Amino acid sequence: MTPEQAAGKAAQDVGQDRPTRSRRAPWSLKELMLVVVLGAVFGFLYWALVQGWIAFAAVTGPFGDLTQHVLLGGWLIVAPVAVAIIQRPGAGVVAEVLASVIEVVFLGSAVGPLLFVAAAIQGAGSELPFALTRYRSYSWFTYALSGGLGAFAVFFFSAFRSGWYGTDLFWTRLAIQVLSGVVLGGLLAKVVVDALVRTGVVDSFAVGRTASR
């Protein structure tokens, strides 16, 4: 074989290998089922959080319209949990949308189908920090950024729907919701994932293999 032929064969081999390395394996059935279960479980939890949101607003009286925003981050938690366990693109968005379907279809959320839009937005925002690291970083900072960005992204949709633009408390609402996202939608998600890893129930998923290294 001449040097030119050898070089050509090597280039061909590289070209054949590249798609194999770059492609991800298809989702397994257990991964799909886990996302469905997470969506269902957190859908019910989100509905319970709505009751807490209403009660908190009532208890705080005239400040209720503002102080209830401290709970916003609770609606963001399923996205980073799903992403961290499965470590696949789209897991966070799918989990959030499924949770919203449970809220609307089965629990009769007053928000209606618009909740699907909000869920997709906050899921995408929450998943973005993990996507930027190619689903390799699961540090406290990445989780915090996930919750904060998810809250930031969905805030502007909520502001449009609720008429917050141009009001005196616009930036205050944004600050409270982003902070809530960092704590409840990000840092708390890491606590949940770490607790699940310790129990061993997610050992057969990507997070289990990562934790064992």
Side-chain angles (χ1 to χ4, degrees):
M1 181 182 293
T2 65
E4 291 79 4
Q5 290 174 325
K9 186 177 186 303
Q12 184 179 7
D13 291 341
V14 170
Q16 291 174 343
D17 290 343
R18 187 178 297 121
T20 302
R21 288 196 299 266
S22 62
R23 281 198 302 265
R24 286 177 174 267
W27 283 51
S28 67
L29 180 59
K30 69 178 181 180
E31 289 173 334
L32 292 171
M33 291 302 299
L34 179 64
V35 172
V36 171
V37 169
L38 288 174
V41 170
F42 280 91
F44 281 96
L45 291 177
Y46 287 177
W47 178 84
L49 191 58
V50 170
Q51 314 315 309
W53 176 287
I54 296 172
F56 194 37
V59 168
T60 52
F63 302 102
D65 181 53
L66 183 63
T67 55
Q68 64 184 356
H69 293 302
V70 301
L71 299 177
L72 182 279
W75 279 279
L76 305 169
I77 190 171
V78 72
V81 169
V83 170
I85 295 175
I86 299 175
Q87 300 181 9
R88 285 184 177 275
V93 177
V94 172
E96 282 287 357
V97 172
L98 286 175
S100 70
V101 170
I102 296 296
E103 286 188 85
V104 174
V105 176
F106 296 99
L107 301 175
S109 172
V111 178
L114 282 177
L115 191 61
F116 303 153
V117 179
I121 293 172
Q122 64 196 36
S126 295
E127 187 165 336
L128 182 58
F130 298 103
L132 292 176
T133 69
R134 297 185 179 181
Y135 300 90
R136 294 173 181 169
S137 174
Y138 297 92
S139 65
W140 286 98
F141 176 76
T142 306
Y143 275 94
L145 190 59
S146 169
L149 189 55
F152 182 83
V154 78
F155 174 82
F156 294 97
F157 173 74
S158 300
F160 173 77
R161 187 168 55 86
S162 303
W164 295 337
Y165 288 103
T167 62
D168 294 338
L169 297 176
F170 178 85
W171 296 108
T172 303
R173 293 181 193 274
L174 175 60
I176 294 175
Q177 290 201 4
V178 169
L179 182 59
S180 176
V182 168
V183 176
L184 298 181
L187 300 180
L188 182 58
K190 179 163 177 56
V191 172
V192 171
V193 172
D194 288 350
L196 290 173
V197 170
R198 285 194 296 271
T199 66
V201 297
V202 292
D203 282 354
S204 62
F205 295 94
V207 67
R209 294 189 293 271
T210 301
S212 64
R213 291 174 186 171

